[in-house]
Amino acid sequence: MNEIDWNQKLKEALDRTEFMAISTIFEGETWTNPVAFAYDEKINLYFISKMASRHSENILKNPKVSVAVYKTERFVSGDVLGLQIKGEAKHLTDKEEIKAAAAYYFERGHGNDEFRNKTAERAGAEAPWQFFKVTPIEVWCFDSREFGSERKLTPLDIIELG
């Protein structure tokens, strides 16, 4: 097998869809839901949510999350490509972190100016929509085109998706 270009592979997987499934846990109860997301060059993931949503409440109590990024349609060949991520999530409250998250998020085309005005970027701490960041601890890649039915652990220290 040729050497894996992890940057290209992860970018391809992330760019194939605008949604991820995020799973949270609190007091032994799990919760999974889809959210629109964006990412940065180190594969940190950004999403927005309302603070009263179950996953937001869970993150505030327990930052451990898992994420699945995949497109539901297969390649023409029948193959699939997706990511499974173990990470830690946090509600962003620092203005500079919010500004950076908003840049990544809205660069992907999520929302319009009217919606953007309802986010923490423009309306502050009381905004109905708040930014969250998931910092990956482990990223597993499933690419049946190259790995068959196996998944591979991604070496995070070499990731630079710029």
Side-chain angles (χ1 to χ4, degrees):
M1 183 185 315
N2 296 333
E3 187 169 327
I4 299 165
D5 182 346
W6 286 111
N7 290 309
Q8 181 276 329
K9 189 166 295 299
L10 295 179
K11 188 162 179 30
E12 180 185 10
L14 294 165
D15 286 345
R16 289 192 78 219
T17 184
E18 63 182 288
F19 295 99
M20 67 182 190
I22 185 165
S23 296
T24 59
I25 188 166
F26 182 68
E27 294 182 350
E29 297 290 324
T30 61
W31 187 254
T32 303
N33 62 284
V35 293
F37 78 97
Y39 65 91
D40 67 17
E41 55 282 341
K42 290 297 183 186
I43 203 170
N44 294 302
L45 305 173
Y46 301 93
F47 67 95
I48 61 173
S49 193
K50 292 188 173 186
M51 294 306 289
S53 67
R54 189 167 178 183
H55 58 278
S56 297
E57 290 177 348
N58 285 353
I59 288 168
L60 295 177
K61 297 170 188 168
N62 181 349
K64 293 180 181 179
V65 297
S66 60
V67 171
V69 176
Y70 58 94
K71 185 172 183 169
T72 58
E73 292 92 12
R74 295 174 182 264
F75 290 102
V76 173
S77 63
D79 288 303
V80 294
L81 169 65
L83 304 176
Q84 296 165 294
I85 300 170
K86 177 173 126 179
E88 290 197 357
K90 75 173 187 172
H91 171 223
L92 298 180
T93 57
D94 177 80
K95 287 184 189 230
E96 289 305 311
E97 285 185 304
I98 292 168
K99 182 179 177 181
Y104 290 116
Y105 190 81
F106 290 110
E107 184 177 289
R108 280 200 97 182
H110 299 309
N112 54 38
D113 212 41
E114 182 181 334
F115 176 72
R116 195 169 184 169
N117 289 334
K118 298 175 185 174
T119 69
E121 176 199 20
R122 295 192 177 163
E126 300 305 315
W129 293 97
Q130 296 289 312
F131 285 92
F132 289 80
K133 176 182 178 181
V134 176
T135 303
I137 295 169
E138 288 182 4
V139 176
W140 292 83
C141 181
F142 184 89
D143 185 347
S144 62
R145 300 169 300 178
E146 195 168 343
F147 309 145
S149 62
E150 301 296 318
R151 62 185 181 136
K152 301 279 186 185
L153 181 62
T154 302
L156 292 178
D157 58 329
I158 64 164
I159 300 305
E160 187 62 45
L161 302 178

